[in-house]
Amino acid sequence: MTKIYRSLRFTVVTAVAISCAWAVADAQRDQGVDYPSGYRSWQHVKTMIIQPGHPLEDPFGGIHHVYANAEAMSGLTNKEYVDGAVFVFDLLDYDNSEKLIVETKRKRLDVMQRDSKKFADTDGWGYTTFAGDSSTMRVQQDVVSACYGCHIGAKESGYVFSQYRP
Ligand code: HEC
């Protein structure tokens, strides 16, 4: 009888521990990064096309444009990012026919927002992805593995991969 009770207690304790871990993971999924209103009139930094067959095709296949707000632009030149800096990775699908590559619908909008206190867990940058054209619907993901884990590779340049071409 005691044995059964113990194993039941173990199950309950384990279940509580697992749901707490889920709660932490949920918090990690949405760090509270803002929708970057007006980013289409910010500085265009660069453009790249990721074609079918490339290892990053899922989820980054398409034509992307990188935009930077004024704070992010000064960071690109001096490699020091102040709070308030925002980068946008605007990913669109494209149509490739008759020797023309033409933008079509938006697939997703990836955003990096600098706030050294709020996003201290991910070294000062918060990450999020807005689905398609939505400014409210976010892709559910663990940003630590989905974003930060790769951007850490650009630690030397402030976790930012893009370079500005004047
Ligand atoms: C496998 C590596 C990898 C992953 C995963 C990744 N990124 Fe990036 N990201 C890059 C690279 C490389 C660039 C530069 C693209 C270019 O040069 O056009 C970039 C560019 C960016 C930029 C523009 C600023 C910069 O660093 O150049 C933003 C914003 C961005 N990513 C957000 C995200 C978000 C949000 C996620 C998570 C959903 C994410 N990234 C996941 C590799 C990655």
Side-chain angles (χ1 to χ4, degrees), residues 104-121:
T104 55
K105 66 175 197 319
R106 178 166 288 111
K107 291 178 78 180
R108 53 193 273 147
L109 200 71
D110 289 293
V111 183
M112 284 170 70
Q113 183 180 356
R114 184 82 194 168
D115 186 327
S116 45
K117 284 208 188 82
K118 189 171 176 187
F119 308 125
D121 285 356

Side-chain angles (χ1 to χ4, degrees), residues 46-48 50 56 59-60 64-67 76 86-89 108-113 126-129 141-143 145-151 154 159-163:
K46 68 185 300 282
T47 294
M48 186 192 284
I50 297 182
L56 294 181
F60 298 116
H64 69 247
H65 308 289
V66 175
Y67 295 90
L76 274 177
V86 180
F87 281 103
V88 172
F89 178 105
R108 53 193 273 147
L109 200 71
D110 289 293
V111 183
M112 284 170 70
Q113 183 180 356
Y127 298 83
T128 201
T129 306
Q141 60 194 348
D142 176 357
V143 296
S145 54
C147 316
Y148 172 70
C150 185
H151 275 260
Y159 302 88
V160 174
F161 282 105
S162 293
Q163 285 177 10

